[in-house]
């Protein structure tokens, strides 16, 4: 891991402010035009470019062209994943949750159309949502996650980042006439998803590419749900995702307590003052327990 990648000058607050500022023109454009890119996705959804633009601006300010190169190089950093089996939950966890919601709805008597989609539609959704997810994750995961973890640890970082991520979507969701209750449930599921993503992030060598794949599945699974997501039961899916997140956090805490010491979520380290090793997850050289997934 390079020094440019672990710049101590990185500011999540500045990143969040830039993302929201860059999003304003897209919201204004949607307010004037009012069309949708796909069912449920307003024109302001094009703001998916804002996180990567904000991250590039800040990395250039912090470390110049070298910092920008390090950031963009993480677009396809799948080689960082030490155990490739972790791609299974990254790719299948959310589709499994959505499939479970479909089966539960059918078992409880809810009338649902049969899923219908073509290979060309699936390919289009995968490619389109991959590009959008990559632009977002270069910012959320590639720029903001690490300094948040260094300060608060994995779980609290997931809650903070997930909340910001959810709030960033509120206006676009209102622009496609989502109800306040629907947005509240969606926000719960989104925060839970980010907690799960940081758990995966730490187990997958901090791979932005891996997080992009997971993020992509969030949108693909929703669009493939009958019909174009129109029968998607957001409260049920959000509750299932929150349950999965709680189970993961509890299992990690139990594992750490059984081992008698906190498990490092990422074993890379850099040198701090007086040449003392500083965990990338901690807030300082004398705080060895901050980085556990708790």
């Amino acid at each position: 891991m390079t020094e440019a990648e672990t710049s101590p000058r990185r500011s999540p607050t500045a990143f969040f402010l830039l993302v929201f500022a860059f999003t304003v023109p897209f919201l204004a454009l949607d307010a004037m035009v009012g069309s949708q890119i796909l069912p449920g996705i307003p024109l302001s959804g094009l703001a998916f470019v804002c996180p990567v633009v904000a991250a590039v601006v800040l990395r250039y300010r912090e470390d110049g062209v070298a910092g920008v190169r390090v950031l963009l190089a993480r677009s396809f950093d799948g080689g960082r994943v030490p155990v490739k089996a972790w791609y299974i939950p990254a790719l299948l966890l959310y589709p499994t949750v959505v499939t479970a919601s479909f089966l539960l709805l059918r078992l409880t008597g809810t009338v649902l159309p049969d899923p219908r989609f073509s290979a060309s539609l699936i390919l289009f959704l995968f490619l389109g949502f991959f590009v959008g997810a990559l632009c977002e994750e270069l910012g959320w995961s590639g720029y903001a996650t690490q300094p948040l973890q260094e300060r608060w640890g994995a779980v609290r970082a997931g809650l903070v980042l997930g909340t910001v991520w959810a709030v960033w979507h509120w206006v676009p969701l209102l622009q496609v006439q989502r109800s306040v209750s629907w947005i509240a449930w969606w926000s719960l599921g989104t925060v839970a998803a980010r907690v799960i993503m940081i758990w995966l992030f730490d187990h997958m060598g901090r791979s932005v590419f891996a997080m992009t794949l997971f993020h992509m599945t969030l949108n693909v699974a929703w669009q493939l749900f009958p019909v174009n997501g129109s029968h998607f039961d957001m409260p049920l899916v959000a509750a299932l995702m929150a349950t999965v997140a709680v189970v993961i956090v509890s299992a990690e805490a139990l594992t750490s307590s059984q081992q008698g010491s906190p498990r490092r979520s990422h074993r890379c380290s850099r040198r701090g003052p007086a040449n003392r090793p500083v965990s990338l997850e901690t807030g300082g050289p004398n705080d060895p327990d901050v980085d556990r997934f708790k």
Side-chain angles (χ1 to χ4, degrees):
M1 188 170 293
T2 67
E3 183 64 25
E5 189 176 323
T6 61
S7 173
R9 300 185 296 277
R10 201 174 300 185
S11 171
T13 301
F15 170 73
F16 295 149
L17 291 174
L18 278 181
V19 169
F20 279 85
F22 291 157
T23 302
V24 171
F26 293 94
L27 299 177
L29 177 63
D30 186 89
M32 290 185 294
V33 178
S35 61
Q36 296 188 19
I37 304 170
L38 286 172
I41 303 179
L43 194 60
S44 55
L46 294 174
F48 67 77
V49 300
C50 295
V52 67
V53 172
V56 166
V57 168
L58 292 174
R59 294 302 284 125
Y60 182 79
R61 187 187 70 174
E62 295 158 1
D63 294 298
V65 175
V68 175
R69 286 175 177 170
V70 169
L71 174 70
L72 298 181
R74 298 187 65 183
S75 298
F76 298 95
D77 61 355
R80 299 169 67 112
V81 181
V83 180
K84 305 307 180 186
W86 279 98
Y87 278 109
I88 297 174
L91 287 167
L92 298 182
L93 190 152
Y94 190 72
T96 299
V97 167
V98 173
T99 301
S101 75
F102 179 85
L103 296 175
L104 286 171
L105 289 171
R106 280 280 181 91
L107 288 173
T108 55
T110 302
V111 178
L112 293 174
D114 292 329
R116 293 182 180 179
F117 37 79
S118 63
S120 59
L121 173 62
I122 294 175
L123 179 60
F124 170 76
L125 292 176
F126 268 86
L127 291 176
F129 285 129
F130 177 85
V131 172
L134 179 59
C135 289
E136 287 197 39
E137 291 309 319
L138 281 168
W140 305 127
S141 295
Y143 185 90
T145 294
Q146 183 177 317
L148 288 174
Q149 280 193 269
E150 288 173 355
R151 181 173 182 179
W152 286 316
V155 175
R156 281 174 287 181
L159 294 173
V160 171
L161 186 54
T163 299
V164 173
W165 189 28
V167 172
W168 182 59
H169 286 82
W170 282 359
V171 175
L173 290 174
L174 289 171
Q175 289 178 326
V176 289
Q177 311 304 314
R178 296 297 188 186
S179 67
V180 172
S181 61
W182 192 97
I183 293 174
W185 281 109
W186 179 88
S187 297
L188 172 64
T190 297
V191 173
R194 184 55 63 175
V195 171
I196 294 169
M197 289 174 75
I198 290 185
W199 168 70
L200 289 169
F201 190 61
D202 288 343
H203 282 284
M204 300 183 75
R206 296 175 176 268
S207 170
V208 170
F209 175 71
M211 294 308 94
T212 297
L213 294 178
F214 184 93
H215 188 154
M216 175 192 68
T217 68
L218 300 179
N219 292 311
V220 171
W222 159 59
Q223 277 288 316
L224 292 180
F225 201 92
V227 175
N228 299 123
S230 62
H231 289 75
F232 197 85
D233 191 315
M234 183 52 68
L236 177 57
V237 173
L240 290 173
M241 285 294 286
T243 300
V244 172
V246 169
V247 169
I248 288 172
V249 171
S250 300
E252 288 284 336
L254 180 61
T255 300
S256 295
S257 64
Q258 289 177 342
Q259 290 177 345
S261 62
R263 180 188 58 75
R264 298 290 180 185
S265 59
H266 190 71
R267 296 181 180 178
C268 247
S269 66
R270 57 180 173 85
R271 291 287 168 179
N275 205 34
R276 185 181 301 173
V278 181
S279 167
L280 292 178
E281 300 294 319
T282 67
N286 298 316
D287 193 9
D289 294 335
V290 174
D291 65 328
R292 75 178 74 179
F293 195 94
K294 64 181 180 181

